[in-house]
Amino acid sequence: MSQDNQIAVEFHNVTFSRNNRPLVSNLNFTIRRGEALILLGRSGSGKTTTMKLINRLFLPTQGEVLFDRIPTTQWNAIKLRRKIGYVIQETGLFPHFTVERNVGLVPSLEGWKPKQIKTRVRELLHLVGLEPEKFAQRYPHELSGGQRQRVGVARAIAADPPVILMDEPFGALDPITRLELQQEFKRLQQELGKTVVFVTHDIQEAFVLASRIGLMDGGELVVLGTPEEFLHSQHPEALAFLQCLKLIP
């Protein structure tokens, strides 16, 4: 595979402003196919804004974001988003749809046959650790928070998108469920070879999941490297986050 074909997303001199105030500035980085890039930072550092520039929820004020080497401004927004799974903290499941219908939603929009959708839903529920016989006909309100997040992950990968965006998806869960889902998702990501961009303010989560960590501070990407490289960063914001790790025995 050529070097170009190994790149899923590129940011070239990207700034995004609102009311003449830049929310992110001068972003220059690439996301490689099959990697888990964790965007780490405090609240308001620009993590979610950066993520939303990938699926065209925001368009750059300056510079360009390329998805599959095509600027997001040239993509049809719906076609682009169907190539990108999206998981948020509250899952965004439709409350009046069963689990089966929630997971099968994008494949049905893509015109898959009902039998094909049913097979895919069963396969995905197994994959995320939910028995189809037990969960397919339930509604979101009948599930625990951790189960809803598993359904959210299944829905995000249902139509086999190459890229998955995850915005603090496990943030509202208790610590034990959260760790279980982190480990489950890491296994899934490696098994399926998906490109993942994952937003968090939790450095432990970043170290569990990341192939690379991008640290955001004041709307800028100030550190980008492997977890091992991050451990040796001397940037003040990286040191502040690393201090949180040292507090844990």
Side-chain angles (χ1 to χ4, degrees):
M1 196 184 273
S2 78
Q3 195 66 29
D4 276 358
N5 286 337
Q6 290 175 22
I7 293 171
V9 179
E10 302 165 71
F11 280 71
H12 296 309
N13 302 312
V14 173
T15 293
F16 174 75
S17 301
R18 185 174 271 166
N19 303 324
N20 293 322
R21 187 175 76 85
L23 300 186
V24 294
S25 307
N26 196 33
L27 296 177
N28 282 287
F29 66 99
T30 59
I31 301 166
R32 298 191 287 263
R33 291 188 196 282
E35 81 164 323
L37 174 67
I38 308 303
L39 292 176
L40 176 69
R42 304 183 199 216
S43 296
S45 60
K47 311 180 297 294
T48 296
T49 300
T50 302
M51 176 179 279
K52 287 181 174 179
L53 285 158
I54 296 171
N55 65 353
R56 227 191 111 138
L57 287 172
F58 293 150
L59 291 172
T61 309
Q62 291 170 13
E64 59 182 10
V65 180
L66 277 67
F67 183 92
D68 270 355
R69 292 181 284 175
I70 300 167
T72 52
T73 50
Q74 293 176 25
W75 275 92
N76 169 285
I78 292 169
K79 281 188 179 170
L80 175 67
R81 286 174 200 148
R82 287 197 187 157
K83 287 183 169 285
I84 299 173
Y86 194 35
V87 188
I88 57 175
Q89 188 172 121
E90 292 306 319
T91 72
L93 298 178
F94 291 104
H96 54 293
F97 282 11
T98 61
V99 164
E100 181 173 40
R101 200 167 163 205
N102 265 292
V103 175
L105 182 63
V106 176
S108 69
L109 293 172
E110 291 281 316
W112 292 28
K113 293 186 172 70
K115 194 174 175 185
Q116 193 184 6
I117 294 170
K118 202 168 188 67
T119 302
R120 179 68 172 157
V121 168
R122 289 180 64 81
E123 175 189 301
L124 287 168
L125 290 179
H126 275 302
L127 202 60
V128 298
L130 297 173
E131 296 167 45
E133 296 75 15
K134 194 173 171 185
F135 291 98
Q137 297 311 312
R138 288 193 189 176
Y139 288 85
H141 74 271
E142 298 175 304
L143 307 176
S144 70
Q147 289 165 348
R148 283 196 295 273
Q149 284 304 151
R150 288 172 186 269
V151 175
V153 170
R155 186 177 67 175
I157 60 179
D160 207 22
V163 174
I164 301 171
L165 307 182
M166 306 188 77
D167 194 355
E168 304 208 35
F170 310 140
L173 302 175
D174 66 82
I176 295 168
T177 305
R178 184 173 185 163
L179 184 60
E180 282 173 0
L181 275 181
Q182 288 165 357
Q183 290 168 339
E184 183 85 1
F185 186 74
K186 186 178 179 73
R187 178 190 65 76
L188 262 184
Q189 189 262 336
Q190 291 172 342
E191 196 175 298
L192 301 174
K194 300 290 180 193
T195 306
V196 173
V197 184
F198 190 111
V199 160
T200 187
H201 57 258
D202 180 341
I203 188 162
Q204 277 183 290
E205 184 161 71
F207 271 81
V208 170
L209 296 173
S211 41
R212 284 194 302 160
I213 298 171
L215 178 63
M216 304 285 301
D217 184 28
E220 296 185 357
L221 187 66
V222 293
V223 177
L224 179 61
T226 63
E228 184 63 29
E229 289 165 339
F230 192 93
L231 281 172
H232 296 103
S233 172
Q234 293 304 303
H235 190 282
E237 190 69 357
L239 292 173
F241 270 98
L242 288 168
Q243 194 60 39
C244 301
L245 273 185
K246 289 173 186 164
L247 295 174
I248 296 148

